[in-house]
Amino acid sequence: MQTELGRVLDTLPGMVFSALPDGRIDFVNKDLANFSGVSMSETNTWEWPVQGAPAEASMITERFRSMLSVDQPFEMEIPTLRADGERSLLRIRCKPMLTDGKVQKWYGLAAERELASTDSRTEHETDFQRIVDSIPVPVAVTTPTGDVEALNNPALEYFGMTLEELKNWKAIEVVHPEDLQQTIADQLEAHRTAIFYNVESRHLRSDGVYRWHNVLGLPFKDREGNILRWFHLLVDIDDRKKAELALAAREREAQLVLESIPAGIAVLAPDGKVEAINGPLLRYYGRALEELRDWGNTDVVHPDDMPRMIAAVSDAVASGSPYDREVRLRRADGTYRWFQVTGHPLKSEDGKIIRWYALHMDIDDRKQAEEALAERERESRLVIDGIAGMIAIFSPDAKLIGGNQQIIDYFQRPIEELDNWATNGITHPDDLQICIDSFMGAIATGEPYDYETRFLRHDGTWRWFQLRGLPLRNTDGQIVRWYGLLTDIDDRKRTEENLRRSEAFLGDAQRLSKTGSFSLKLGTDEVTWSAETYRIFDVDSSTRVTLRTILSRLDHDSFARVQRVLERAREGNGDFDYDITLVMPDKSMKNVRVLAHSERNKDGEQELTGAVQDVTESRRAEETLNQVRSELAYVTRVTSLGVLTASIAHEVNQPLAGIVTNASTCLRVLAAEPPNMEVAKDTARRMIRDANRAAEVIVRLRALFSRKPPIIEPIDMNDIASEVIALALSDLQRARVSVETEFGHSLPPVAGARVQLQQVIMNLLRNAIEALAGINDRPKKITINTQADPAGEVQVSVSDDGVGFGSQEMGRIFDAFYTTKPDGMGIGLSVSRSIVENHNGRLWAKANNGPGATVAFAIPIYEVARESCDLKDKDRSQSPFGTVR
């Protein structure tokens, strides 16, 4: 049947061909074969004999195949040579043969078109050249197949080449090598679809400089819609392009700054719509940016706070004024935390708002602390007995009307004389004015006062005191009395002065510390540095930086570390945080911290961007700071005296009251007729017991705050735990906290310093009390447990049902200076850990199954501890607490 169809097509008066859907021509009739001089090959495939350069022929053939792929009839022209060698132009028309809607084969007719005469073409081309030359920008004219036909004078002048040279533009780099393939692809696509195109590429100027151009491709068609020529206009956009690239670099640097800020930042448009959110805030919400754009219709703000937040942003956008609100924001785990959201507008030179920046600061811990503090102040406003330090009581008009015994003992003057504190010489002359301004200012405004001054002791010694005062108000809010607490801080001031001198280096380092940014294109190793990065690496800012420049500054370990980071960054996106050491030209060393992020940029290149920070001075300052930590531990013990005094006074009062009661009983039974000697003896023994108990409290208190080496002795942990509970009884009653004890029976003794182990239990008990301060929905309970461990230890644990610890806090609560309390120093648990470890013990914390947390420690029993110390001190006769006997 195929043979019969070929005979039929051969008899048709014209040039006929057929093609398969993949573009292969599987039949040409005799007329077309005779016209072209090319007959069918033995493989039954035939190619159009296109006349033109190889690139042009390939383009025409590709266009023919692409037209076959659209399943629609089409027409096109193909320049060719006749069998006699003359140039000719074939116009072909093709239609598909469909079966069930699918193309089975294409059939087409080819007809020869006459070429215009040479003279008329020359005259036409001359007119055409005048028109093209009149266009004030470079213009290239190409044939429908893409061959350069003409260039206007601006184009020739820009490239500095002849028309003949520029006809081979694809091979002579007039288009930047990085843009060439995309330019060719865009032109091929435009020729295939006959649609206008608009691309950006770099072109080589006659002076050897590449400049960016906006290339506009315009098809010129005849009345029948056939493309006769293509016009390519080259519009110079180099200045605009460089500005865009510079702006993109600045935006990347600004984004890097936003990401490096350890707080939440939201960027809003002038109308209040969300444009961007930095990483810390996105991670807090656990949501994508698109989800947060319409934040007003989500649950990221607490329902009770949402109306206020929406109103604040709306009012700010309308008025152009900053806003500041405290609201609860929903964390990724569903927990709402308090934040202070502050929005400030960024204005242009003409005063127009171009952007809003909203800072989100987590204040949840502070809010909880403020609420707890307010509750404690309401409960303890009238309590002054047992407060550590000197108490002064003033009338609303600032007259001294009373004070405790400590203030009388310190000055050894009557209250009436102390009332003239501004003139009687007890206040240091250098501090007198600040005392008058602070105290009288508080009296005038009704606000609490807090300042420091020096007072003259009765023996002529000046000592520093911290003065804190609070007003007592009645139900109408009127001040009826002022209570002032004078706390001796002379030792602390001396320590702070030493600390300030030690931290001078750290202060200088903080002022001089700078942070630079960088960018490294991992495909080309192209490096971009900010000015500060040049300074950190000590490289001349006019020097072209390469990867070799960076690596040459690194020591051996840092070189290997950076190589590993580069390998991981080339593999894909990721974040990096690492330290490196720089070897400077003068052989000095710099410690540098690097924060970086690897991702693909808008050009599809893998790029590593980040920041470098010179932390050399801060590292040195940290070493200095460690030298004063031991002194701070002692200061913590001294400052804790104020909190313990009330409990100690309560503990002393109990045996004293027992002594008085027993003495009265003894007198009565002796005065009876006859005297009851047995009862008298029994009461006398109780009097001796209570007196010894009071004396032991004082002895232990003095030992707690002395610098003498502690005495190691066998200790019953049940006894010292009971003593600590008694000492803290007033605190427990004030906080309305109950204590349950689960003491192990027949506990073996441990080897330790009694007062120091009491301090550890007291620290853990006080932390548990503070953890329960904000709990109102359940009973406040603390459980103290002691038990012997098969490993030869005695364990003591303190459990509470309070707020507990976060997962991140759990690993840091024993670090020095780390605290979860807004007014804490971060010393208590650190000192406790030091005491326990010096007893060869261990200290740990864990979350409870229900609310709250448990903090526990274990101390080796007396025999095991002695052997352990003997092994540790084989080469020395003293342990951290002295010789263990």
Side-chain angles (χ1 to χ4, degrees):
M1 183 177 180
Q2 183 69 21
T3 304
E4 184 64 26
L5 178 61
R7 292 198 192 99
V8 173
L9 294 178
D10 280 336
T11 62
L12 292 177
M15 294 180 283
V16 181
F17 64 93
S18 65
L20 299 175
D22 61 4
R24 289 179 298 154
I25 300 174
D26 63 346
F27 174 80
V28 295
N29 69 353
K30 292 181 180 180
D31 287 352
L32 181 54
N34 294 335
F35 174 83
S36 63
V38 180
S39 57
M40 287 293 296
S41 66
E42 295 180 356
T43 57
N44 293 324
T45 57
W46 192 82
E47 295 286 344
W48 290 106
V50 180
Q51 190 274 328
E56 179 184 353
S58 176
M59 186 184 300
I60 293 173
T61 302
E62 181 61 30
R63 187 185 175 204
F64 173 75
R65 291 176 177 170
S66 65
M67 296 296 284
L68 294 178
S69 65
V70 298
D71 299 348
Q72 295 292 330
F74 67 91
E75 296 182 8
M76 66 177 291
E77 294 180 348
I78 298 177
T80 185
L81 291 176
R82 294 199 302 251
D84 58 6
E86 291 295 325
R87 293 173 51 200
S88 179
L89 186 64
L90 285 180
R91 184 177 185 84
I92 63 173
R93 298 178 182 178
C94 293
K95 285 188 177 182
M97 181 180 73
L98 303 177
T99 301
D100 296 332
K102 293 185 179 179
V103 176
Q104 298 298 317
K105 187 172 286 192
W106 287 82
Y107 291 95
L109 294 175
E112 183 181 17
R113 293 189 59 184
E114 293 184 0
L115 298 174
S117 67
T118 303
D119 294 339
S120 63
R121 185 172 67 251
T122 302
E123 181 180 353
H124 172 74
E125 289 176 351
T126 301
D127 293 339
F128 176 74
Q129 187 65 38
R130 284 198 209 97
I131 295 172
V132 172
D133 284 338
S134 66
I135 301 175
V137 297
V139 176
V141 182
T142 65
T143 64
T145 59
D147 287 336
V148 176
E149 186 178 33
L151 293 166
N152 67 351
N153 287 331
L156 295 173
E157 292 172 358
Y158 178 86
F159 292 112
M161 299 183 186
T162 64
L163 173 60
E164 290 303 319
E165 291 175 308
L166 290 170
K167 283 184 176 181
N168 194 25
W169 61 274
K170 298 175 185 176
I172 58 176
E173 293 191 353
V174 295
V175 179
H176 195 284
E178 294 179 4
D179 305 334
L180 180 60
Q181 295 304 319
Q182 187 61 44
T183 299
I184 294 174
D186 290 338
Q187 288 191 8
L188 285 173
E189 181 64 17
H191 290 172
R192 186 183 71 82
T193 59
I195 297 176
F196 162 87
Y197 72 91
N198 182 350
V199 297
E200 294 180 357
S201 56
R202 289 162 287 184
H203 296 79
L204 184 65
R205 199 167 58 187
S206 58
D207 58 1
V209 175
Y210 281 102
R211 292 183 64 83
W212 281 97
H213 287 80
N214 192 180
V215 183
L216 306 176
L218 306 170
F220 178 62
K221 302 179 181 180
D222 59 17
R223 294 180 179 179
E224 297 177 355
N226 300 312
I227 296 177
L228 302 179
R229 288 184 178 85
W230 281 85
F231 290 86
H232 309 269
L233 280 69
L234 282 70
V235 181
D236 192 314
I237 59 168
D238 194 73
D239 295 335
R240 188 200 78 192
K241 191 70 174 180
K242 289 178 178 177
E244 290 176 352
L245 294 174
L247 177 61
R250 288 196 298 272
E251 288 179 347
R252 285 197 302 273
E253 187 169 351
Q255 185 63 32
L256 181 62
V257 171
L258 286 179
E259 293 299 323
S260 65
I261 297 175
I265 301 290
V267 183
L268 311 180
D271 60 358
K273 293 182 179 178
V274 177
E275 287 186 345
I277 296 176
N278 72 343
L281 192 54
L282 286 175
R283 288 189 289 274
Y284 177 86
Y285 288 129
R287 306 190 186 190
L289 174 61
E290 291 304 320
E291 297 179 74
L292 297 172
R293 291 192 187 277
D294 189 18
W295 60 271
N297 292 320
T298 68
D299 60 350
V300 295
V301 180
H302 195 282
D304 295 342
D305 304 333
M306 180 67 81
R308 293 190 297 110
M309 193 68 239
I310 293 176
V313 175
S314 300
D315 293 344
V317 170
S319 64
S321 302
Y323 63 88
D324 190 342
R325 288 290 182 275
E326 292 183 358
V327 295
R328 286 161 289 183
L329 302 181
R330 191 177 191 273
R331 199 166 57 187
D333 61 1
T335 302
Y336 282 98
R337 292 182 63 84
W338 280 100
F339 276 76
Q340 182 175 14
V341 183
T342 307
H344 287 274
L346 175 65
K347 299 182 178 181
S348 59
E349 294 181 356
D350 58 359
K352 233 175 144 180
I353 295 177
I354 57 178
R355 194 168 286 124
W356 286 85
Y357 288 93
L359 175 66
H360 297 60
M361 294 295 296
D362 189 327
I363 60 170
D364 193 76
D365 294 335
R366 190 195 78 191
K367 289 285 286 187
Q368 293 184 13
E370 289 174 351
E371 293 172 1
L373 178 61
E375 181 66 23
R376 289 197 297 270
E377 288 176 348
R378 284 192 294 271
E379 293 178 354
S380 61
R381 187 167 292 173
L382 298 177
V383 180
I384 63 171
D385 290 336
I387 296 178
M390 300 184 292
I391 301 297
I393 306 173
F394 297 92
S395 65
D397 59 356
K399 180 176 178 60
L400 182 64
I401 59 177
N404 64 353
Q405 186 61 40
Q406 293 185 47
I407 198 170
I408 302 298
D409 293 342
Y410 181 86
F411 292 109
Q412 293 192 0
R413 300 189 188 188
I415 292 295
E416 294 75 15
E417 185 177 342
L418 294 178
D419 186 36
N420 301 316
W421 56 270
T423 58
N424 60 12
I426 64 173
T427 305
H428 197 285
D430 294 344
D431 307 333
L432 184 59
Q433 191 59 48
I434 190 173
C435 290
I436 295 174
D437 293 344
S438 301
F439 180 71
M440 299 308 297
I443 295 295
T445 63
E447 296 294 327
Y449 62 83
D450 187 343
Y451 61 94
E452 297 175 356
T453 186
R454 284 163 286 185
F455 284 135
L456 183 65
R457 197 166 60 187
H458 62 84
D459 60 359
T461 302
W462 292 99
R463 292 186 67 82
W464 279 98
F465 281 81
Q466 181 180 29
L467 279 68
R468 295 176 178 172
L470 287 173
L472 175 64
R473 301 177 186 269
N474 59 20
T475 55
D476 297 329
Q478 296 178 334
I479 297 176
V480 297
R481 192 167 295 173
W482 282 86
Y483 289 92
L485 173 64
L486 289 70
T487 306
D488 189 326
I489 60 169
D490 195 75
D491 293 336
R492 192 194 81 190
K493 289 286 286 187
R494 297 177 191 277
T495 303
E496 288 178 349
E497 181 61 30
N498 293 334
L499 179 60
R500 277 192 292 270
R501 286 196 296 267
S502 300
E503 289 179 339
F505 296 106
L506 178 61
D508 292 340
Q510 291 173 342
R511 287 191 295 271
L512 296 174
S513 175
K514 302 293 182 181
T515 300
S517 59
F518 69 89
S519 169
L520 171 61
K521 292 183 179 179
L522 299 169
T524 61
D525 287 345
E526 180 183 344
V527 180
T528 304
W529 275 0
S530 67
E532 185 58 24
T533 308
Y534 277 100
R535 188 199 67 78
I536 293 174
F537 278 79
D538 196 11
V539 174
D540 188 349
S541 58
S542 62
T543 304
R544 180 178 177 273
V545 180
T546 63
L547 185 57
R548 184 186 297 274
T549 307
I550 300 172
L551 298 178
S552 67
R553 283 284 194 267
L554 304 177
D555 68 357
H556 180 271
D557 293 340
S558 300
F559 184 92
R561 186 176 301 117
V562 170
Q563 290 284 34
R564 290 194 298 270
V565 169
L566 292 178
E567 291 174 2
R568 291 174 54 199
R570 288 189 174 97
E571 292 173 357
N573 299 351
D575 296 320
F576 305 94
D577 184 351
Y578 57 96
D579 293 336
I580 58 175
T581 301
L582 303 183
V583 181
M584 310 314 292
D586 60 357
K587 304 305 179 183
S588 63
M589 300 291 186
K590 275 188 181 180
N591 300 111
V592 175
R593 185 185 180 191
V594 183
L595 292 170
H597 176 69
S598 174
E599 64 179 359
R600 291 195 176 275
N601 57 25
K602 66 181 183 63
D603 296 326
E605 300 172 303
Q606 195 72 25
E607 185 173 6
L608 184 67
T609 58
V612 293
Q613 183 181 26
D614 184 351
V615 295
T616 305
E617 293 300 326
S618 63
R619 295 286 172 81
R620 294 173 183 168
E622 287 174 3
E623 295 174 0
T624 305
L625 184 60
N626 289 332
Q627 297 175 2
V628 298
R629 284 181 175 171
S630 58
E631 188 67 20
L632 276 175
Y634 173 72
V635 174
T636 302
R637 293 169 58 193
V638 174
T639 54
S640 65
L641 176 61
V643 181
L644 291 174
T645 301
S647 299
I648 294 170
H650 178 79
E651 180 68 10
V652 172
N653 283 338
Q654 285 184 340
L656 291 179
I659 292 171
V660 172
T661 301
N662 290 325
S664 299
T665 303
C666 187
L667 289 175
R668 284 198 306 271
V669 298
L670 289 175
E673 289 297 338
N676 190 335
M677 300 305 294
E678 290 302 321
V679 174
K681 292 178 181 179
D682 187 52
T683 54
R685 282 192 292 269
R686 289 198 296 270
M687 290 168 60
I688 295 172
R689 180 201 63 190
D690 290 340
N692 288 333
R693 180 182 172 190
E696 287 176 1
V697 171
I698 300 304
V699 169
R700 291 168 187 166
L701 176 63
R702 293 179 62 187
L704 177 62
F705 296 99
S706 69
R707 288 178 177 266
K708 296 179 180 178
I711 300 175
I712 303 304
E713 57 183 334
I715 303 294
D716 186 332
M717 295 304 289
N718 288 345
D719 288 346
I720 66 172
S722 299
E723 292 169 0
V724 170
I725 294 173
L727 288 174
L729 185 59
S730 60
D731 285 345
L732 292 166
Q733 292 173 344
R734 209 167 27 246
R736 298 175 182 174
V737 175
S738 64
V739 175
E740 293 185 1
T741 58
E742 298 176 355
F743 290 167
H745 297 293
S746 303
L747 288 181
V750 301
R754 186 182 194 87
V755 173
Q756 291 190 350
L757 293 180
Q758 282 181 326
Q759 181 181 354
V760 173
I761 299 176
M762 178 63 77
N763 286 344
L764 303 187
L765 184 58
R766 187 175 298 116
N767 285 344
I769 294 173
E770 293 175 351
L772 290 164
I775 303 302
N776 298 310
D777 59 346
R778 56 181 179 272
K780 301 179 181 179
K781 184 179 71 173
I782 296 175
T783 302
I784 300 180
N785 175 278
T786 63
Q787 62 180 1
D789 188 278
E793 297 175 326
V794 173
Q795 293 186 8
V796 180
S797 64
V798 179
S799 301
D800 64 76
D801 297 334
V803 295
F805 301 116
S807 58
Q808 296 180 344
E809 297 170 348
M810 193 71 73
R812 299 185 59 194
I813 58 173
F814 299 116
D815 293 346
F817 307 108
Y818 178 80
T819 179
T820 60
K821 297 176 287 188
D823 55 351
M825 294 179 63
I827 294 297
L829 288 177
S830 176
V831 171
S832 298
R833 182 177 66 177
S834 298
I835 293 174
V836 171
E837 290 178 351
N838 286 335
H839 280 75
N840 298 319
R842 51 196 177 91
L843 178 66
W844 68 92
K846 64 179 181 179
N848 294 338
N849 292 333
T854 298
V855 183
F857 67 92
I859 302 295
I861 63 176
Y862 185 63
E863 291 80 7
V864 175
R866 177 171 57 191
E867 295 172 3
S868 176
C869 289
D870 290 341
L871 289 174
K872 286 181 62 178
D873 304 319
K874 183 178 295 183
D875 299 326
R876 52 187 180 144
S877 60
Q878 296 291 322
S879 73
F881 303 103
T883 304
V884 179
R885 300 296 184 191

